[in-house]
Amino acid sequence: MKDNYIDFIPGDSEKELSASLLRSLVIGILFLSGMFILSALLVFHELIARAAFFSGTAALICLLTFWLIRRRKLRLAGLIFVAFLWLIVSFGAYTATGVAAPIFFGYAAVILIGALVLGVRTGLWLVFLSVGFGGFMIYADAYHFLPD
């Protein structure tokens, strides 16, 4: 009977708390993706293709993450989810104006989520990866390699 509680009620174990946190984050990303599509449809018409791409991939990754949580593969679910967030922020920053883009500050959220869900060591790897990609974008901006 206790095995069913991981899906609904967070318990005392670290795995159950991690699953609950990851599930809440996935639900939040799904909600924000829906709001992004809605705002693109209503106000920002030039962002419809970008919103559809981001939201479509977010929905697929979130469904995969939910499925992995149900199969109790929390580490893999967390890795896929955090890697997806990092790639979305990286793609968004690269296709915008690089480090000057407001989405660049999304790395802070990705690092925090990675450290909370996967541990401090993963958070530190995300810091180094984000700083390295930020350095690449500074270089790319200086030599006009970023898209207009």
Side-chain angles (χ1 to χ4, degrees):
M1 186 74 170
K2 176 97 169 112
D3 292 339
N4 294 333
Y5 287 129
I6 193 169
D7 296 327
F8 303 107
I9 302 170
D12 292 331
S13 77
E14 186 176 332
K15 272 189 138 180
E16 290 174 344
L17 290 173
S18 179
S20 177
L21 174 63
L22 190 56
R23 189 180 304 105
S24 298
L25 289 168
V26 168
I27 291 169
I29 292 296
L30 281 173
F31 176 75
L32 289 175
S33 295
M35 296 306 295
F36 187 39
I37 283 199
L38 187 63
S39 66
L41 287 173
L42 296 176
V43 180
F44 305 109
H45 302 292
E46 66 276 358
L47 293 178
I48 290 175
R50 189 177 181 118
F53 172 74
F54 282 152
S55 299
T57 54
L60 290 175
I61 293 297
C62 288
L63 288 174
L64 175 64
T65 304
F66 273 135
W67 182 75
L68 289 170
I69 291 170
R70 299 268 307 164
R71 307 254 323 153
R72 296 190 184 3
K73 308 249 187 239
L74 299 179
R75 181 88 178 152
L76 181 60
L79 282 171
I80 289 172
F81 185 69
V82 170
F84 166 73
L85 291 178
W86 191 87
L87 288 171
I88 286 294
V89 170
S90 298
F91 179 76
Y94 182 78
T95 57
T97 57
V99 294
I103 194 171
F104 187 77
F105 294 105
Y107 281 123
V110 173
I111 291 166
L112 181 63
I113 289 169
L116 285 173
V117 172
L118 299 170
V120 175
R121 181 175 284 166
T122 304
L124 288 174
W125 277 107
L126 287 169
V127 168
F128 294 132
L129 193 62
S130 301
V131 167
F133 194 70
F136 164 74
M137 285 195 292
I138 290 171
Y139 174 82
D141 189 32
Y143 290 98
H144 306 291
F145 293 139
L146 292 176
D148 291 331

